[in-house]
Amino acid sequence: MLDLANLSVNLKNVRDKFIVSSILFMIFASIFSLPSTAFSQHYTSNRFSRPDILPSATIKQIRDVMGHTRILENEYLEIWQRDSDLSIRIVDKKTGYVWGTVDTSKANEFNQTWSGIASSIVAIEVFDKGGILKAVGSGATDVLKEYKKNGNSITYKVSFQSVGITLTFKMSLAGNHLTFELLPDSIVEGSEYSLATVMFMPFLGAVREKEVDGYVFIPDGNGALMRFSNAAHYLAPYERKVYGKDGGIDDMFEVNDLKAKRPNDFAVEPPQILIPALGIVHAENANGFLITAKSGAEFSSVVTYPSGIISKYTWGTIKFIYRQKYTQRTSRSGAGIQVPQKDKNVFNAKAEYTFFNGNDASYIGFANYLKGNYTTGKNEITVVGDKDVPVMLYFILSDIEKGILSYNVKNVTTVDAIIDYVKQLKSAGVNNIILFIDGWQKGGKSGYKVSEYGFEDKVFNAEQRKKLFEFSRAENIKLYFVDAFKKVTERQLNLRAYEVGINLSQAPILEEKDDKTILFNKTYYFNAYLAIEKLTQKIPFYKNNSIENVALADFASTLYSDNRYDNNYPRDYIKNQSMKALQKLQTSLNFVAMKAPHDYAWQYADAIYDVPVNNGQYLFLTDTVPFLQIILKGSVPYFAPPMNLSFYSREDVLKCIEYGAYPSFTLTELNNFELKDTGISDIYSSQFYDWKQEIIDIYKEINSALSRFLGQKIVDRRTLQEGFVVVKYENGDYLCVNYTESEKEFENNKIAPLSWKIVEVRK
């Protein structure tokens, strides 16, 4: 068997590495484009969705209100409580279904610590003086509890005597929402322990093995399900920070535990959590609830324990982080020790539990509910038109290249070539092209200074700009100029001028690859606050140079604090200031596109590119679902990752169609071997003529499938059989996608293998 990892590692010559990588890419592309038995069963993996399990006539109740007293009630819900341990029960008045934490008086599989957590209304984690983490739940016998009711809210004071920490928080009932709020000044700490995290009702909806049919919904990447299952021996739970890692405190690259000699050049960060939410469903289309972080999302993580870790219960919640460990450097080489934060994060922790029943009790219902928070008043037709779907062509004009004695700017794609390519595609029936232009800045894509504004005259002087602007207007082509303000190379910032972000160890925030022969093996994070300033200051430059549309490569998809000892900016401050800058940018320009933005930026995005189409595919995740796409479809146009950079198989094209995602391609005029000494040497296959026919074929197919649904929202989605999915749009039509190699049928319509079909059922 060919050891691809070691083959790449042992190659000593950069040129040889490039050639082999290019060959491997072409081999993989050809393999994935062929119908092969080895790859034909992908639709049974967790990259896709399992068939839906509809509820039976009788839904099994696994909780009851015995021993509890009703304390709150409205037209939707009843809240019951057991005073001895603050165990909670929630009754859906429409269905009679009872939600609750685990009754540990009946469940004897927990130790004393977890018994107090499983039944708790609030649980905490604390650090002792040695930095050891300890968990405590309000259900523990030595915890003092008192509460006071005021209308439809209750204020609790919980004293965890064993660790000397007291919390005061409020629980409020309004409609089908139950909200918990903890203010920072209500936290009292002792001298022996410091508060690390807080969770409200962590075991609400927990299920012992396969006690009921259902799942935990996790917003990992585009969306994932963890179906309730028998206990298994997993090594670790799922816990990921909302909005990704905070470079101001987190290590940006984790050491992998793969038993192979491979560099981290091939390491890929798992997809981010773009939205602070988690849902639990007991019997799909019957009972469910969704947890959202209404405040404090920047300091939260999504946590899920599959059955087999700690206990046989599957449970999940949102955890609020007040302190965490970070690497305190002990040497100039970067070595250090893990210590807890000295000062706790200051924020309002607010979690909202929204309860659903009937057809709304599913990940689809959760997504439909959230549409109102993000997409009200938006319609993608204002951006892309109403006749043909768009294709995104991402052209790189120039980049920096390492020469014998110095660096120089290398022309990668000329304006004349772009115009010629677009004409060729349009004459072949590619009717709606959106151009993204990168490497237009002085110094090229990897060499321009974030703090300086100008054009690269070698490839984009005044005459060339005029030619491209006139062509785009004549052809009615939207032209976006790509800019990056946060993740940069050493050539793009001044390390001695406070331009680099600083973490708690007072070290630069960066990612470093093992391969020192790469032109830029370090990626630096620009000072977060300065990045906001630079974006705002650049708006007049855009307007003065007729730049009407801008694409932000990293601004809305990267959120990190800056912890310089004399002037620090916490993560929530950076988020709030970023939103102000985005609002100003959107108001000043025509359209703003963003690369995989966090949810707080969606309201300012007119288009989204590199939208996630997969999740992290952890073993305990059973399904991939288009949660983000259901929220966004019809309101904001979104583009799949570049289809010439590994997202190219037949199944991938079908997934674009199913998810309502538009195609994109990263393109150059030069062949990729000529880019081996530039900052984009990791782009292995982008020369236009290598992909021209694929662009035409893929576009035409996706346009045929999705043009009917421009401006239409997804209202439902069902997996009828493994590999056979039906998506319903608000106009009443169905889009059927068949990933299998056998014919399928829906509403007396035949859907061919590895194909799709639109089924009209409108009255």
Side-chain angles (χ1 to χ4, degrees):
M1 181 179 292
L2 182 62
D3 188 341
L4 302 181
N6 286 327
L7 174 64
S8 296
V9 173
N10 293 331
L11 291 171
K12 297 181 180 179
N13 186 281
V14 178
R15 179 177 178 273
D16 291 343
K17 277 188 182 181
F18 182 86
I19 294 172
V20 171
S21 298
S22 301
I23 293 172
L24 292 178
F25 178 86
M26 289 185 286
I27 292 173
F28 290 148
S30 64
I31 290 175
F32 279 106
S33 64
L34 292 173
S36 167
T37 303
F39 294 100
S40 63
Q41 300 298 311
H42 278 176
Y43 57 83
T44 64
S45 74
N46 65 0
R47 291 181 59 209
F48 296 87
S49 302
R50 293 184 180 180
D52 298 304
I53 302 175
L54 297 180
S56 60
T58 303
I59 306 299
K60 181 180 180 180
Q61 288 272 14
I62 60 174
R63 301 287 181 267
D64 58 52
V65 297
M66 291 182 62
H68 294 68
T69 303
R70 186 168 51 206
I71 55 173
L72 295 176
E73 181 180 8
N74 65 11
E75 60 182 310
Y76 296 96
L77 303 170
E78 294 176 355
I79 313 301
W80 296 62
Q81 177 177 287
R82 185 169 61 197
D83 289 353
S84 60
D85 59 357
L86 296 186
S87 169
I88 293 291
R89 296 288 182 265
I90 297 130
V91 180
D92 187 319
K93 295 180 72 171
K94 182 176 180 180
T95 63
Y97 194 76
V98 180
W99 294 97
T101 53
V102 175
D103 189 345
T104 52
S105 65
K106 300 177 182 179
N108 58 10
E109 63 191 78
F110 294 97
N111 61 27
Q112 185 175 356
T113 296
W114 281 96
S115 179
I117 294 171
S119 64
S120 66
I121 190 173
V122 63
I124 64 173
E125 292 176 311
V126 298
F127 288 116
D128 66 15
K129 287 186 174 180
I132 304 300
L133 198 65
K134 178 180 180 179
V136 190
S138 60
T141 56
D142 63 343
V143 175
L144 299 180
K145 313 137 185 130
E146 56 184 89
Y147 64 92
K148 182 178 180 181
K149 182 178 176 182
N150 182 14
N152 250 16
S153 67
I154 297 176
T155 299
Y156 294 90
K157 183 177 181 181
V158 180
S159 298
F160 300 90
Q161 290 185 294
S162 63
V163 294
I165 290 178
T166 299
L167 305 178
T168 301
F169 60 91
K170 184 164 69 173
M171 179 179 74
S172 304
L173 177 64
N176 61 335
H177 311 291
L178 189 64
T179 303
F180 293 85
E181 185 169 14
L182 172 61
L183 302 180
D185 57 4
S186 67
I187 300 170
V188 179
E189 297 175 296
S191 58
E192 297 297 317
Y193 294 88
S194 57
L195 181 64
T197 70
V198 172
M199 299 176 285
F200 295 107
M201 295 195 300
F203 273 73
L204 184 69
V207 170
R208 191 179 192 278
E209 295 195 305
K210 299 175 69 173
E211 198 171 15
V212 297
D213 289 325
Y215 52 77
V216 180
F217 160 72
I218 305 168
D220 185 88
N222 61 295
L225 304 183
M226 180 192 296
R227 295 184 185 269
F228 301 133
S229 63
N230 292 326
H233 297 291
Y234 298 113
L235 296 177
Y238 177 95
E239 182 168 352
R240 301 208 66 81
K241 205 173 251 189
V242 173
Y243 305 142
K245 291 183 178 180
D246 177 0
I249 186 169
D250 295 311
D251 292 329
M252 297 310 291
F253 251 111
E254 299 174 359
V255 177
N256 69 59
D257 59 357
L258 299 177
K259 295 179 179 180
K261 294 180 179 179
R262 64 184 72 197
N264 65 7
D265 307 348
F266 301 95
V268 177
E269 286 290 341
Q272 291 189 18
I273 290 180
L274 303 181
I275 180 170
L278 177 138
I280 292 181
V281 169
H282 288 185
E284 191 165 35
N285 288 357
N287 312 289
F289 67 85
L290 179 70
I291 313 172
T292 51
K294 307 300 287 186
S295 177
E298 317 82 46
F299 302 104
S300 71
S301 61
V302 171
V303 180
T304 303
Y305 278 64
S307 177
I309 297 183
I310 300 298
S311 72
K312 292 186 177 181
Y313 283 85
T314 296
W315 60 277
T317 191
I318 290 180
K319 176 188 290 186
F320 292 99
I321 304 168
Y322 288 89
R323 286 184 182 86
Q324 68 178 83
K325 285 188 175 182
Y326 71 99
T327 301
Q328 186 179 76
R329 293 176 65 179
T330 57
S331 69
R332 291 185 178 182
S333 65
I337 58 173
Q338 288 280 303
V339 297
Q341 290 173 254
K342 180 180 179 181
D343 300 318
K344 68 176 180 290
N345 300 320
V346 179
F347 62 95
N348 292 348
K350 187 174 182 180
E352 183 177 84
Y353 292 67
T354 303
F355 294 84
F356 300 88
N357 52 53
N359 290 335
D360 294 328
S362 67
Y363 72 88
I364 301 163
F366 300 159
N368 285 331
Y369 164 74
L370 290 174
K371 285 178 184 176
N373 294 349
Y374 299 113
T375 61
T376 301
K378 283 178 171 280
N379 193 298
E380 65 174 338
I381 288 176
T382 61
V383 180
V384 302
D386 61 355
K387 293 182 180 179
D388 295 290
V389 305
V391 59
M392 170 184 158
L393 304 182
Y394 189 116
F395 282 102
I396 301 170
L397 298 186
S398 66
D399 197 22
I400 198 167
E401 181 181 43
K402 187 175 183 180
I404 297 176
L405 298 176
S406 62
Y407 294 96
N408 60 75
V409 175
K410 186 179 187 69
N411 293 1
V412 176
T413 311
T414 64
V415 168
D416 287 338
I418 292 174
I419 292 173
D420 179 43
Y421 299 158
V422 171
K423 287 180 178 178
Q424 292 182 48
L425 293 175
K426 294 197 78 170
S427 66
V430 181
N431 301 319
N432 192 353
I433 294 173
I434 294 180
L435 291 179
F436 280 52
I437 305 299
D438 202 354
W440 55 272
Q441 308 93 329
K442 184 175 179 59
K445 175 178 171 60
S446 307
Y448 73 90
K449 300 287 187 183
V450 174
S451 56
E452 298 176 6
Y453 314 136
F455 297 98
E456 178 47 58
D457 286 340
K458 288 183 68 174
V459 70
F460 206 48
N461 58 31
E463 181 181 349
Q464 293 160 332
R465 295 198 298 275
K466 180 181 178 182
K467 184 183 297 185
L468 184 60
F469 286 140
E470 289 179 348
F471 174 75
S472 65
R473 283 193 291 268
E475 297 292 328
N476 194 28
I477 292 174
K478 283 190 174 59
L479 193 60
Y480 287 84
F481 287 83
V482 181
D483 242 341
F485 291 89
K486 289 187 174 180
K487 298 177 71 171
V488 297
T489 70
E490 63 192 48
R491 301 280 300 183
Q492 296 180 267
L493 81 171
N494 187 337
L495 290 170
R496 299 181 180 180
Y498 296 97
E499 288 190 348
V500 67
I502 298 295
N503 62 26
L504 274 177
S505 291
Q506 301 307 298
I509 304 173
L510 58 84
E511 298 171 2
E512 185 173 3
K513 295 182 178 180
D514 294 333
D515 188 349
K516 308 301 181 184
T517 65
I518 298 174
L519 179 56
F520 298 115
N521 75 314
K522 293 180 180 179
T523 298
Y524 289 89
Y525 285 67
F526 208 81
N527 180 307
Y529 183 74
L530 282 183
I532 297 169
E533 279 193 346
K534 299 304 179 185
L535 171 61
T536 305
Q537 292 168 2
K538 201 165 187 177
I539 293 174
F541 171 82
Y542 294 143
K543 298 181 72 174
N544 293 337
N545 288 280
S546 302
I547 294 177
E548 300 175 339
N549 311 311
V550 168
L552 299 177
D554 54 16
F555 191 85
S557 59
T558 311
L559 183 65
Y560 52 96
S561 57
D562 193 275
N563 289 301
R564 200 177 307 271
Y565 70 90
D566 58 346
N567 199 11
N568 69 310
Y569 298 100
R571 208 180 193 203
D572 56 343
Y573 179 82
I574 294 299
K575 186 194 85 169
N576 293 334
Q577 294 302 308
S578 297
M579 291 173 67
K580 291 179 181 179
L582 291 172
Q583 183 180 29
K584 186 173 183 180
L585 183 69
Q586 185 190 52
T587 303
S588 303
L589 303 180
N590 285 353
F591 296 106
V592 177
M594 300 181 195
K595 180 177 180 177
H598 302 145
D599 71 326
Y600 56 81
W602 291 354
Q603 60 186 308
Y604 310 113
D606 300 299
I608 293 173
Y609 65 106
D610 267 19
V611 69
V613 291
N614 281 308
N615 55 51
Q617 296 174 47
Y618 300 95
L619 287 177
F620 43 64
L621 299 181
T622 57
D623 303 61
T624 297
V625 294
F627 187 77
L628 294 182
Q629 287 81 359
I630 294 172
I631 294 176
L632 297 171
K633 185 59 186 169
S635 300
V636 180
Y638 47 86
F639 297 86
M643 303 197 76
N644 58 315
L645 304 182
S646 81
F647 189 69
Y648 175 57
S649 73
R650 178 61 188 161
E651 289 174 346
D652 292 330
V653 174
L654 290 175
K655 183 174 276 194
C656 269
I657 291 171
E658 184 207 334
Y659 284 16
Y662 304 133
S664 72
F665 297 85
T666 296
L667 301 169
T668 58
E669 181 181 1
L670 297 184
N671 67 64
N672 294 87
F673 175 73
E674 296 178 85
L675 306 178
K676 64 184 179 61
D677 293 320
T678 69
I680 53 174
S681 60
D682 58 342
I683 299 178
Y684 297 142
S685 181
S686 61
Q687 190 172 31
F688 173 78
Y689 285 108
D690 291 340
W691 288 94
K692 175 184 172 181
Q693 193 57 49
E694 282 73 18
I695 294 172
I696 295 168
D697 295 342
I698 290 172
Y699 173 79
K700 286 185 175 181
E701 181 174 14
I702 292 178
N703 187 46
S704 296
L706 297 180
S707 59
R708 178 189 293 262
F709 302 114
L710 282 164
Q712 295 288 316
K713 299 181 187 301
I714 294 174
V715 296
D716 202 2
R717 173 186 183 265
R718 296 295 164 195
T719 304
L720 302 183
Q721 302 172 32
E722 283 190 332
F724 183 43
V725 182
V726 175
V727 179
K728 184 179 181 180
Y729 280 84
E730 63 179 335
N731 65 4
D733 291 346
Y734 291 91
L735 178 60
C736 305
V737 180
N738 182 6
Y739 293 98
T740 77
E741 294 182 351
S742 59
E743 185 178 76
K744 301 296 179 182
E745 182 175 333
F746 177 75
E747 298 287 340
N748 298 319
N749 289 269
K750 306 292 185 182
I751 296 89
L754 293 168
S755 187
W756 55 272
K757 189 171 188 177
I758 295 171
V759 176
E760 296 185 33
V761 293
R762 286 177 288 180
K763 296 180 181 179

